[in-house]
Amino acid sequence: MSAALLSKRLDRALDAAQYFTQVFPNQSEDADGSADGEGVKAKVIDFAGLPTWTGKKLGLSLGRQSFKERAGLEEIERKEREETMGKIELPPNLDPFYTLRSLVLVLGQEVDRESKEVVFVDAESGHAVFIKIIEVREASDDTPLLVVQFRLDTKSPGREYAFWKYASTSQLIRVECPNRALILLHRLLLLNSNRAAPTGDGSQGAGLKPSFILTIGPIEKSDIAQLARDLSCAVVLGFEQADQPYGFHLCFVATPYCSRECQMQHWTTHKKTCNSLTGATWSVMPFSNANPFGFKFSEIISLSGGGRAKDSTKESPAEGEEDKAPPNEHGDNPFLIKVQYNGSPFIMVYDRTRALETHLNRNDNPRVFDQIAALVREKGFMGMKIYVWAKRTADWELSLALDKIPSQNVPW
């Protein structure tokens, strides 16, 4: 996949993490911003038309996080501060999106303390992102929107950071973070900068750009499935079929192509996969959202369009979620699932994107369950896992081709 397509996909992931289309549903997908400044011009968001934030403290409202994550942030909050410059340090080995959420939550905590300027720094690379908080508005429902100005800066030998020229106080809060998370934060600010109305105080002319920050939370499974879809032409790698469509070969794998020539060129390779399910026998197996093991767990709750974090430690799905079927991202097409079995009366199954991630219960269909278990023991890796073809035949039902086992050399 080309760098341009990866860049576009990263922007879509950031929008999914900030629930942008849920907070601003009138911003159509073809008019979203681009951190690279390419594509269709984004619709400008008029901050003056949004009400002033009067809700909860931002340290609670700027993130959707699990109980474990909040405990980690409380530990960060307990860090002692230097007398002349507040200093917070985030661990270097966290996932960049996880750390991005932590950065936004820390920013909210500092606003609660009436700090107006925060600088995020990676000492190793010398990169820094200076953020000046202008005001806090209410984007929609209970979702706060931080109106900010920002600047990316780099410290080099013999040269100090330039952001000191824009800082209005010596009590500047300094947050040390990994460079990957810093780059992600800057990317988010650039993405939203293309949608932000000028703040009107002239600071952007002096080197600060206008932007805004919304609630950051876990990317929902339906969004992960969309982001994980590879629409690149199977022959011309990096050429996205969605941008210049020719079509799909409408067999069960729905392989994308940018031209008929590419489809014909690829047929010798593709036909082996295309014909691999011919004559397959499909066995039906129900599934459910029920937690089969009964242990307590802390679940990440993502509230569509809302900004209030909710911690949940429980033994069963949230009220109403047990009746909500996982999204069907595959339609009527067969798709690969990974089957994992450890000898219990439950089998774990999930697809590549984990949009579908569930358990099969032996009580629902003992005959098919025992066939799957025997297949895993006899032909699976170390007798514990195997890839099989499946189809979604109903909201709570899978059909599996247990007599047509695909190659087990699967990129997953």
Side-chain angles (χ1 to χ4, degrees):
M1 188 175 294
S2 69
L5 292 180
L6 285 172
S7 179
K8 182 185 294 186
R9 191 161 294 192
L10 174 59
D11 289 346
R12 290 173 180 166
L14 287 169
D15 268 348
Q18 65 178 342
Y19 304 86
F20 184 79
T21 57
Q22 298 176 29
V23 177
F24 294 108
N26 294 329
Q27 286 270 27
S28 61
E29 186 175 348
D30 61 351
D32 60 0
S34 167
D36 296 324
E38 299 175 353
V40 180
K41 179 67 175 177
K43 188 186 298 182
V44 172
I45 296 173
D46 180 15
F47 302 133
L50 301 175
T52 301
W53 173 255
T54 57
K56 275 186 175 182
K57 288 186 176 182
L58 295 175
L60 295 176
S61 302
L62 266 177
R64 305 169 172 91
Q65 76 267 35
S66 67
F67 178 82
K68 179 180 178 181
E69 290 171 333
R70 179 169 296 178
L73 289 167
E74 290 174 351
E75 178 64 25
I76 291 169
E77 191 173 1
R78 285 195 292 267
K79 296 277 187 179
E80 291 186 359
R81 298 182 174 201
E82 298 176 357
E83 291 184 4
T84 57
M85 175 183 275
K87 185 176 180 180
I88 302 171
E89 186 173 354
L90 296 178
N93 56 347
L94 296 178
D95 173 85
F97 268 82
Y98 176 99
T99 310
L100 175 65
R101 293 161 60 195
S102 300
L103 296 183
V104 171
L105 284 166
V106 169
L107 186 63
Q109 291 169 355
E110 294 308 320
V111 175
D112 290 336
R113 297 188 186 100
E114 300 185 355
S115 301
K116 294 296 183 182
E117 295 168 348
V118 179
V119 60
F120 297 92
V121 178
D122 172 47
E124 185 174 346
S125 67
H127 295 151
V129 174
F130 171 74
I131 296 179
K132 181 178 181 180
I133 295 93
I134 306 301
E135 59 181 338
V136 185
R137 297 280 182 166
E138 184 176 307
S140 66
D141 297 331
D142 293 329
T143 303
L145 180 148
L146 264 64
V147 181
V148 303
Q149 295 170 351
F150 73 99
R151 175 187 173 90
L152 176 67
D153 210 350
T154 303
K155 183 178 181 180
S156 56
R159 176 183 175 274
E160 283 297 321
Y161 289 117
F163 63 73
W164 285 110
K165 295 187 297 186
Y166 313 108
S168 59
T169 175
S170 60
Q171 299 294 323
L172 183 62
I173 303 302
R174 175 188 174 105
V175 181
E176 294 189 359
C177 59
N179 192 46
R180 290 191 301 169
L182 193 69
I183 292 172
L184 209 56
L185 174 64
H186 183 241
R187 183 88 187 184
L188 176 68
L189 290 165
L190 282 176
L191 179 65
N192 289 342
S193 181
N194 292 328
R195 302 157 167 159
T199 54
D201 66 352
S203 297
Q204 52 266 29
L208 299 180
K209 290 185 177 181
S211 189
F212 61 88
I213 294 176
L214 294 168
T215 297
I216 300 291
I219 299 178
E220 296 180 342
K221 285 187 176 182
S222 57
D223 291 321
I224 291 174
Q226 290 297 319
L227 290 165
R229 291 184 66 201
D230 188 359
L231 296 178
S232 296
C233 174
V235 177
V236 185
L237 299 179
F239 191 98
E240 191 165 35
Q241 184 269 349
D243 289 341
Q244 297 290 333
Y246 164 70
F248 292 85
H249 184 228
L250 294 179
C251 65
F252 61 89
V253 285
T255 305
Y257 300 102
C258 64
S259 67
R260 177 170 175 77
E261 289 73 19
C262 284
Q263 181 179 356
M264 294 176 66
Q265 179 182 339
H266 194 243
W267 174 243
T268 302
T269 300
H270 178 65
K271 68 179 179 181
K272 298 175 184 177
T273 304
C274 191
N275 296 329
S276 63
L277 280 177
T278 302
T281 300
W282 295 90
S283 302
V284 175
M285 189 70 202
F287 65 89
S288 71
N289 269 349
N291 175 11
F293 302 110
F295 55 76
K296 292 185 178 182
F297 60 95
S298 181
E299 182 182 6
I300 293 175
I301 303 294
S302 52
L303 306 174
S304 300
R308 299 179 187 269
K310 180 180 179 182
D311 295 332
S312 180
T313 303
K314 53 191 178 300
E315 296 181 348
S316 59
E319 183 178 353
E321 288 191 1
E322 66 275 7
D323 298 326
K324 183 179 179 182
N328 182 4
E329 301 295 337
H330 307 282
D332 297 329
N333 295 316
F335 56 96
L336 281 174
I337 60 171
K338 182 184 284 189
V339 178
Q340 295 183 186
Y341 177 61
N342 62 1
S344 76
F346 302 97
I347 293 176
M348 183 177 183
V349 298
Y350 53 93
D351 63 6
R352 274 195 185 97
T353 65
R354 294 201 181 230
L356 173 68
E357 183 176 9
T358 187
H359 289 83
L360 310 179
N361 187 331
R362 188 179 186 277
N363 292 334
D364 292 332
N365 191 330
R367 181 183 62 83
V368 174
F369 184 97
D370 291 344
Q371 289 178 351
I372 300 170
L375 186 66
V376 175
R377 287 194 299 265
E378 295 169 9
K379 297 185 178 180
F381 177 72
M382 298 182 66
M384 298 178 65
K385 65 180 181 180
I386 195 171
Y387 298 103
V388 301
W389 290 110
K391 289 191 294 187
R392 188 78 170 269
T393 49
D395 283 347
W396 300 102
E397 187 178 271
L398 289 173
S399 286
L400 295 87
L402 302 179
D403 58 342
K404 295 287 184 177
I405 305 304
S407 166
Q408 297 298 294
N409 184 23
V410 177
W412 201 258

